[in-house]
Amino acid sequence: MEASVEQLVFVREDEYTVARMSAEGDVAFVASGRALAGVQPGETLRLTGEWDDHPRFGRRLVVTGCERIVPSTLRAIQLYLGSGLIRGIGPRLAQAVVEHFGETSLTVIDSAPERLREVVNIGPVRQAQIVNAWQEQKAIAALMVMLQGFGISPLLAAKTYQVFGADSAEVLRSDPYRLVGQVRGVAFHTADKIALQSGVPARSPQRIKAAILDRLEAAASRDGHCYLTMQALVTRTAELVEQDEELVRAMIDALAAELRVVIEDGPVVYAKGLHARELRLAAELGRLWHTRSTLPMRHFEEDPGLNDDQRAAVTMALTSTVSVLTGGPGSGKSHTIRVIAATVRAMGGTVTLAAPTGKAAKRLSELTGLPAMTIHRMLAHEPDPDTLFDETPAQADLVAIDEASMLDLHLAARLCSAIPSGSHLLLVGDSDQLPSIGPGSVLADLLRVEAIPRVRLTHVYRQADGSGIIQAAHQIKAGEVPCTPGGGFWFEELDDPDAVADRVVHLATEAIPRKQGVDPGQVQVLCPMRKGAAGTAELGRRIQERLNPLTVGETEHWFGASAFRVGDRVMPIRNNYDKGVFNGETGTITAIHQEDRAVEILIDDGDPVTYAFDELDDLTHAYAISVHRSQGSEYPFVVAPIVAESGGIMLRRRLLYTLVTRARSWVVLVGQRKALELAVHHLGHRRNTALSHRLVHIL
């Protein structure tokens, strides 16, 4: 049957979709199935399926086949044009176009677009906008058909077109491996499926080289490695493409000859970009280390409120051009930074305080009483991530970076390149926290170099206040399971992951807000994993339905398996220099513009920004976030599921320690005792980096 999509009801991560449909004769019904993946309100579909009576949701069409067709009835045409699919046309203008051109409306847009000016409120600019959007939709629809022919999700069509434009179809036909790394959501196995069906030989150099680069990228993005040993890379690639190791080794040599990878003694293999950045970071740290200080040294009065370790840290920061200050929660790091900054200023010097994220910078400013900013805002950055800096790098006698465990190789290289010779760089952080999301382990690597001065603060001031959070954090760090409740820490044991998820949602949306008399926005759910009943995706969806359900007359926009609504709490997951937003910041959706195909967001402590619909994979809902994305932030109340789903591969000591230390007043862990024990005792892997080795030879 033919029908139009009125509204998306539900989209699951596996692309199972439920939609409200309308057919000719005002027949309304519900359709469901994975075959509906990627459909949008306003589209007209030719559906194949069977009617089914669901015990809970009633009669529905279970769809087994779905084909997009051109709308033919007046109502379907008006619904299509007014849905927002064609940028520049809203519901009112759609009605005007259909009233003027009737059933020929789409033919006019396609074949005689100049006639659109016959409609009131359509001038040359609006006409061009409509025509461009129409051509784009036609191209995306053709890509969807092409991808479905390969058995690939049609959801990738719009993303592919966004990157390759009119060349998209040719890229799919001639070199689908170009999609890997350029189109978000396209992994090697997706491109490989297209290539093999297109006749690319299984042993082709094109295929093997793409697999090698994919394994290096996966090692960096998933495990934080800067390199892989030759044998590990060969083994992983050979398993991926199911070919012999000799062929893979030959292709690694070919890639090295093409200057796309770098082979070093060991032997180890780097992606070219990561190798260049590691060398750059080592060289810049060496430059700062070997350059004579320009800090005006004068006599200063020691703060009598400092302990011996803190006084040593002040002296270190004033006398060493590169140094590290570490310590756990409540150990006085922020107070020490404040004293260092005050001392430098008293001597006539200048200070810059910065942190990797907006929340971390705000927290640093609150704790020190001094202005602080993000590293990105401190640096006079360029939109191109490969361009390090413009002509105005950070100028200060001392630059102190808090939450330095979050520094990845890319950001650290940019930072150190910007600091002028003679300035002091002080890295401050908790070395027991998770390493950065991106590749590298900069803080840990510097601590492995004996020549670099460091002070570790060990006296815990907040422990005297009876903080159960601080006590639990130190137990975790010592390899002890923190099960004793009290003082802001609580572990609630439940074995069933579904029951754990139910309890977390209840605590976050009802129990804690009611008991503590706070808004639910003060409670943050942190998850070790993304998938599963107790993962960020499912918990975030459920909390959204509790706190910000769709109401009659309001607009929402589905992007993949996420419904974006006005009032939603969201978080950018990628830096966008043009918009001035950075990974880890949070904001609230204030408007959704279907006609302009965009959402407006007010960033916390920032400015309004606009994201086009095709940019929404740069955002994630902030109702439930990963522990990694919480780094540098602090929340009044934290609730977290602790379950050993998928073997508990993400559960490890640093993750649990980081999770617990994100809470200011209360942290509640809900889940399996065996999972809690697994997290405490699992130390995790050490990242493959050579920064410390390079620094030993430079300093």
Side-chain angles (χ1 to χ4, degrees):
M1 64 186 301
E2 293 182 5
S4 297
V5 183
E6 296 280 347
Q7 181 186 14
L8 294 179
V9 177
F10 177 69
V11 182
R12 208 162 56 194
E13 289 245 314
D14 63 0
E15 299 181 355
Y16 175 83
T17 301
V18 180
R20 290 193 178 95
M21 312 289 296
S22 63
E24 196 170 355
D26 293 328
V27 176
F29 64 97
V30 173
S32 64
R34 290 189 180 88
L36 292 172
V39 302
Q40 292 291 319
E43 290 186 314
T44 299
L45 312 172
R46 182 175 290 120
L47 303 174
T48 304
E50 295 182 355
W51 291 104
D52 174 63
D53 289 313
H54 192 278
R56 180 180 174 188
F57 300 111
R59 187 168 175 77
R60 62 181 181 173
L61 182 67
V62 179
V63 179
T64 55
C66 173
E67 177 188 354
R68 288 168 174 79
I69 60 176
V70 177
S72 56
T73 68
L74 287 177
R75 186 182 185 285
I77 292 171
Q78 185 171 330
L79 179 65
Y80 176 73
L81 291 177
S83 66
L85 284 169
I86 305 300
R87 185 180 286 108
I89 301 182
R92 292 184 179 179
L93 195 55
Q95 181 179 351
V97 170
V98 172
E99 286 177 351
H100 189 79
F101 296 114
E103 294 181 353
T104 66
S105 297
L106 299 183
T107 303
V108 168
I109 295 174
D110 191 45
S111 304
E114 67 280 356
R115 291 194 60 197
L116 285 171
R117 296 196 208 176
E118 298 173 15
V119 180
V120 177
N121 293 328
I122 297 183
V125 175
R126 180 65 63 90
Q127 176 202 334
Q129 186 181 31
I130 293 171
V131 171
N132 290 337
W134 170 259
Q135 295 300 330
E136 180 179 308
Q137 282 300 311
K138 283 179 61 178
I140 291 173
L143 282 176
M144 285 182 170
V145 173
M146 192 173 181
L147 288 168
Q148 285 177 311
F150 291 116
I152 303 299
S153 169
L155 291 173
L156 295 176
K159 295 181 181 181
T160 302
Y161 188 85
Q162 186 180 1
V163 175
F164 296 108
D167 297 329
S168 298
E170 179 59 29
V171 170
L172 285 174
R173 282 190 292 266
S174 62
D175 190 6
Y177 295 111
R178 287 180 63 190
L179 274 62
V180 181
Q182 295 193 59
V183 178
R184 290 168 188 160
V186 177
F188 174 82
H189 73 269
T190 300
D192 197 41
K193 186 175 182 179
I194 298 172
L196 293 176
Q197 290 186 55
S198 301
V200 174
R203 294 177 62 84
S204 72
Q206 177 192 29
R207 179 174 186 250
I208 308 304
K209 290 177 182 178
I212 293 166
L213 295 174
D214 175 77
R215 292 299 83 192
L216 284 174
E217 169 58 28
S221 61
R222 185 186 62 201
D223 300 320
H225 295 316
C226 294
Y227 66 80
L228 285 176
T229 65
M230 175 68 79
Q231 185 55 54
L233 179 58
V234 168
T235 300
R236 295 183 187 188
T237 306
E239 291 175 351
L240 181 64
V241 297
E242 298 180 333
Q243 299 297 322
D244 57 84
E245 294 190 354
E246 289 75 13
L247 176 63
V248 174
R249 286 183 184 275
M251 290 302 105
I252 293 175
D253 290 338
L255 282 172
E258 297 169 11
L259 302 179
R260 296 172 69 186
V261 301
V262 176
I263 302 174
E264 284 197 347
D265 292 339
V268 299
V269 186
Y270 284 83
K272 181 183 177 182
L274 279 177
H275 185 260
R277 281 172 174 76
E278 191 173 82
L279 287 178
R280 181 65 177 270
L281 176 55
E284 295 295 348
L285 284 168
R287 172 182 62 82
L288 294 173
W289 171 265
H290 287 293
T291 306
R292 184 177 178 179
S293 170
T294 57
L295 182 66
M297 286 298 296
R298 300 173 186 168
H299 175 73
F300 62 92
E301 296 292 332
E302 291 189 349
D303 188 319
L306 299 181
N307 62 37
D308 290 344
D309 288 339
Q310 290 174 314
R311 281 193 287 272
V314 173
T315 301
M316 173 188 72
L318 297 178
T319 56
S320 303
T321 50
V322 177
S323 58
V324 179
L325 172 62
T326 68
S331 61
K333 296 190 299 295
S334 298
H335 179 64
T336 306
I337 295 173
R338 185 180 66 79
V339 172
I340 291 170
T343 304
V344 171
R345 288 175 175 175
M347 295 190 301
T350 56
V351 178
T352 296
L353 303 184
T357 67
K359 282 194 173 183
K362 181 181 178 182
R363 185 169 170 234
L364 175 62
S365 182
E366 291 172 348
L367 292 173
T368 61
L370 300 170
M373 65 190 76
T374 65
I375 296 174
H376 301 284
R377 296 189 191 281
M378 180 186 76
L379 305 176
H381 51 67
E382 296 283 348
D384 181 1
D386 291 325
T387 301
L388 286 175
F389 299 100
D390 64 14
E391 298 177 354
T392 57
Q395 299 285 340
D397 293 306
L398 184 141
V399 177
I401 304 298
D402 197 18
E403 298 289 354
S405 62
M406 299 175 66
L407 285 175
D408 65 11
L409 191 63
H410 303 293
L411 185 57
R414 291 166 58 90
L415 168 68
C416 292
S417 297
I419 298 174
S421 298
S423 292
H424 291 220
L425 172 63
L426 173 65
L427 298 179
V428 184
D430 188 343
S431 57
D432 294 306
Q433 286 190 24
L434 281 171
S436 57
I437 295 177
S441 53
V442 175
L443 181 63
D445 283 345
L446 265 63
L447 290 172
R448 294 187 186 105
V449 181
E450 292 185 4
I452 296 178
R454 81 286 310 274
V455 170
R456 182 178 183 89
L457 304 181
T458 57
H459 180 79
V460 180
Y461 290 92
R462 275 191 276 167
Q463 198 161 15
D465 299 333
S467 171
I469 295 173
I470 302 298
Q471 182 180 353
H474 284 276
Q475 286 177 319
I476 293 167
K477 188 166 64 174
E480 301 172 7
V481 179
C483 291
T484 304
F489 174 83
W490 191 272
F491 173 64
E492 185 172 328
E493 187 172 357
L494 286 173
D495 281 333
D496 178 49
D498 291 326
V500 170
D502 291 341
R503 182 60 175 162
V504 167
V505 172
H506 176 71
L507 285 168
T509 61
E510 295 182 37
I512 292 177
R514 182 175 61 249
K515 182 178 179 61
Q516 299 295 330
V518 298
D519 185 89
Q522 298 293 302
V523 185
Q524 181 63 58
V525 173
L526 302 181
C527 303
M529 293 174 289
R530 183 177 184 277
K531 297 183 178 180
T536 58
E538 180 61 17
L539 284 178
R541 182 190 66 78
R542 293 181 58 182
I543 295 172
Q544 180 194 35
E545 289 304 318
R546 291 280 190 95
L547 301 182
N548 193 30
L550 181 66
T551 57
V552 176
E554 290 192 351
T555 301
E556 69 176 356
H557 178 75
W558 283 86
F559 185 87
S562 298
F564 290 91
R565 301 167 185 158
V566 172
D568 275 343
R569 295 287 295 162
V570 292
M571 172 183 287
I573 58 175
R574 294 180 184 88
N575 298 330
N576 189 311
Y577 301 114
D578 293 333
K579 298 182 190 299
V581 297
F582 303 103
N583 184 3
E585 293 182 324
T586 53
T588 303
I589 295 179
T590 55
I592 297 177
H593 303 291
Q594 292 287 2
E595 183 175 339
D596 296 326
R597 298 186 61 76
V599 300
E600 285 185 15
I601 300 166
L602 179 62
I603 299 295
D604 296 348
D605 303 311
D607 300 321
V609 295
T610 299
Y611 277 82
F613 283 174
D614 56 13
E615 296 177 310
L616 290 180
D617 56 354
D618 283 354
L619 294 177
T620 186
H621 286 92
Y623 296 109
I625 63 175
S626 69
V627 180
H628 254 120
R629 297 206 180 281
S630 73
Q631 284 181 270
S633 299
E634 187 179 71
Y635 311 96
F637 305 94
V638 168
V639 183
I642 306 294
V643 295
E645 288 185 296
S646 304
I649 56 175
M650 295 302 294
L651 294 174
R652 53 192 186 274
R653 186 180 298 175
R654 289 180 183 272
L655 181 140
L656 184 62
Y657 175 84
T658 303
L659 187 163
V660 168
T661 55
R662 295 311 88 203
R664 183 165 61 246
S665 299
W666 270 92
V667 58
V668 182
L669 308 182
V670 182
Q672 303 157 338
R673 185 175 296 272
K674 65 177 182 180
L676 185 63
E677 293 172 350
L678 175 64
V680 169
H681 299 307
H682 182 202
L683 296 178
H685 67 272
R686 176 172 168 174
R687 295 184 169 187
N688 293 342
T689 71
L691 179 61
S692 57
H693 171 76
R694 300 184 196 283
L695 288 173
V696 166
H697 290 81
I698 291 175
L699 302 185

